[in-house]
Amino acid sequence: MLLFKSVELLQNFLQKKRKEGLRIGFAPTMGALHRGHASLIKKAKLENDICVCSIFVNPTQFNDPKDLEKYPRTEGEDIKILVDLENEVLFYPTVDAVYPKDLQIPTFDFGQVDKVMEGKFRPGHFDGVVEVVYRLVDIVQPDRLYMGQKDFQQFTLIQHMLQQMQAKTKLVVCPIIREPDGLALSSRNVRLTPENRERAPSIAKILQQLNDWIANGLSIKEAETKAIAELSKMPDFRPEYLEIVDGHTLQPIEKMEASDYVVVCTAVWTGDIRLIDNVILKGNKRN
Ligand code: PAF
C-alpha cells in the first residue's frame, strides 16, 4: 500500500493512473477502522482499479470539543487493516494540508435537508462534513465515492453536494454493518461500558419493530412516541430524536403512504456516548 501525506504527490500519482485509464474509488474515513469501513473498501476495490482510503479526523465537524478529544485514534491498527484488505492507497494528510490558508469552499443549498435531526442537534456539524468531503473529493477526483448508510443524513447531503457540483463522481452507499446482536458498527462502540454495550442492540431492535407497530394500527406519531418510550426505559439511555421521515427529503411524514421511501433515524445517548442508527422501513432496502 502506498501512503501519501502530501496533496500534491497524491494528485500526481492519481493523475498518472487516470491517464492509464484506471478507475479510482474513494472511501473517506476518520480512522478507528472497523468492518463497516472494510465493507466500503472491499466494494471500492471490486468496482474500481484503485481504492484510495483517507484517514483524517476532521476537527471542523466536531461540534463538541470533548468528542474530538476522545475520538479513538488507532493509526497502527488502521494501517494493518488496510494492508490486509490490500487497499492500494492511503491518504493521511495533516490539518494544514486539508485546510490551507487560501482554501475556498463553495456554498451549497441543502434546503431543509441539513436543518433536521443531526443538523438540528449538532449545529455546525454538517458544515464541517460538507467542507471536508468537498475538499477530499476535489483532491482525489474519484470515479466513485463510498459512504455508509449508517450516516443517512450525511450521505444524503453529500449526494446533493455532488449534484450541485455537477461532479463526475458517483456516490455509492453501502449497507449498515451490524454486530451479530444487531448493534450498528461504530468507532464509538469501543467506549461503551459493558452494561451499555449489552443494552445497545435494543436500539436496532426497536427501530426494526416500527413497521409491525404501524401495520398493527399505530399512526406514525404514535409509533415514534412508543419507540422513544421504549428507548427511555433502558437505564442510562436518552434518545435525542427518533423520526420517521421521507428518505429523499428527510422531512417528517404523517402516513407511510406519503412516500415510496421511508426511513426511521435516531440518535441515542448512552452515558456520554452518542449512537446513531437507522432502518429503511419502505423502499430501496439496504438493511
Ligand atoms: O463518516 C465519517 O467518518 C466522516 O464524517 C467523513 C465522511 C469521513 C468526513 O470526515
Side-chain angles (χ1 to χ4, degrees), residues 27-31 37 54 56-58 61-62 71 99 125 128-130 132-133 136 145-148 151 154 158 187:
T29 81
M30 297 206 296
H37 300 110
S54 64
F56 179 63
V57 182
N58 174 34
Q61 72 186 75
F62 285 83
Y71 201 81
Y99 297 122
H125 166 64
V129 170
V130 168
V132 77
V133 178
L136 293 172
L145 170 66
Y146 293 81
M147 300 187 91
D151 293 286
Q154 169 172 277
I158 297 304
S187 305

Side-chain angles (χ1 to χ4, degrees), residues 129-225:
V129 170
V130 168
E131 178 177 51
V132 77
V133 178
Y134 173 85
R135 171 72 172 139
L136 293 172
V137 166
D138 194 46
I139 293 170
V140 178
Q141 310 246 332
D143 295 279
R144 297 186 186 84
L145 170 66
Y146 293 81
M147 300 187 91
Q149 184 201 307
K150 186 157 103 36
D151 293 286
F152 199 96
Q153 195 169 6
Q154 169 172 277
F155 84 70
T156 307
L157 285 170
I158 297 304
Q159 183 71 74
H160 279 267
M161 183 192 86
L162 292 173
Q163 271 158 7
Q164 286 174 41
M165 285 166 67
Q166 298 185 328
K168 62 159 189 139
T169 304
K170 181 177 175 288
L171 178 66
V172 180
V173 180
C174 300
I176 299 178
I177 305 293
R178 297 183 182 279
E179 297 288 2
D181 59 14
L183 176 63
L185 293 198
S186 160
S187 305
R188 291 182 173 89
N189 290 353
V190 291
R191 295 185 44 232
L192 290 167
T193 62
E195 297 77 21
N196 286 345
R197 170 63 190 84
E198 217 168 278
R199 294 173 192 132
S202 301
I203 300 173
K205 277 189 202 115
I206 291 168
L207 298 185
Q208 272 146 6
Q209 281 172 333
L210 279 156
N211 259 344
D212 288 343
W213 296 348
I214 294 166
N216 288 336
L218 291 195
S219 69
I220 297 249
K221 268 278 145 293
E222 287 164 345
E224 285 173 346
T225 307

